[in-house]
Amino acid sequence: MTLERRLLWIYASEKLRDAVRTLTLHPGALRARLRACAEPLGMVPSHALPPSLATRNAAIWRVLTRRLDAEGRPSVGLSLRGLRETTLVRLAEAIYRLDAETAKLAELAELADAGESRRRVRAVTREKERPPLQR
């Protein structure tokens, strides 16, 4: 994974974590918590996520911005106002699952990178341990 890709991934993971933290800790009813978590969720760059997660992120964002305000701009508040409680719960679950899946993939990527680093270190170490005539 390139450094730029890794930084984008870290940024996206942090924003998703912020959204879930807001969803969990923000005072008020579920509708108010979803409205509050929309800000960090909206800052997640879709191109930083793998395609399957980017699709899920886009689907969540479509629900959050389905309705337009008087000026024709997407409105999270208006969109949430039109949803039933069961839909709000499913939306919150989808945000939580997206964060959990992103965290799992980030951990796997770190392990893969760590494994690659260990392989490189072992290869270099083996090379240095060989007698000069065998190199």
Side-chain angles (χ1 to χ4, degrees):
M1 183 181 286
T2 67
L3 179 60
E4 181 182 347
R5 183 83 175 140
R6 181 181 298 237
L7 292 175
L8 274 172
W9 182 264
I10 290 169
Y11 180 78
S13 296
E14 286 176 358
K15 293 305 166 190
L16 282 168
R17 219 169 299 119
D18 288 347
V20 169
R21 189 176 301 117
T22 301
L23 189 58
T24 306
L25 300 175
H26 192 275
L30 181 55
R31 197 175 313 272
R33 290 182 288 153
L34 282 165
R35 187 179 305 118
C37 88
E39 184 179 343
L41 190 62
M43 298 172 79
V44 175
S46 289
H47 64 280
L49 299 173
S52 62
L53 298 181
T55 301
R56 287 168 41 192
N57 184 47
I60 291 167
W61 197 242
R62 271 194 307 276
V63 172
L64 286 172
T65 58
R66 184 176 14 193
R67 295 207 174 158
L68 304 177
D69 64 12
E71 297 172 1
R73 295 179 301 197
S75 171
V76 173
L78 289 175
S79 299
L80 289 173
R81 200 172 304 146
L83 299 177
R84 293 184 308 219
E85 194 69 24
T86 56
T87 306
L88 295 173
V89 170
R90 285 197 314 262
L91 185 58
E93 288 173 351
I95 293 167
Y96 173 79
R97 276 189 253 113
L98 179 64
D99 175 59
E101 191 68 27
T102 302
K104 187 189 315 179
L105 288 176
E107 185 177 337
L108 290 174
E110 275 186 39
L111 290 173
D113 287 348
E116 181 62 32
S117 296
R118 278 190 296 252
R119 282 191 290 277
R120 278 189 247 139
V121 167
R122 274 189 242 126
V124 169
T125 305
R126 275 190 232 119
E127 183 67 27
K128 288 182 179 177
E129 290 172 352
R130 289 186 195 163
L133 295 175
Q134 291 182 352
R135 287 187 194 165

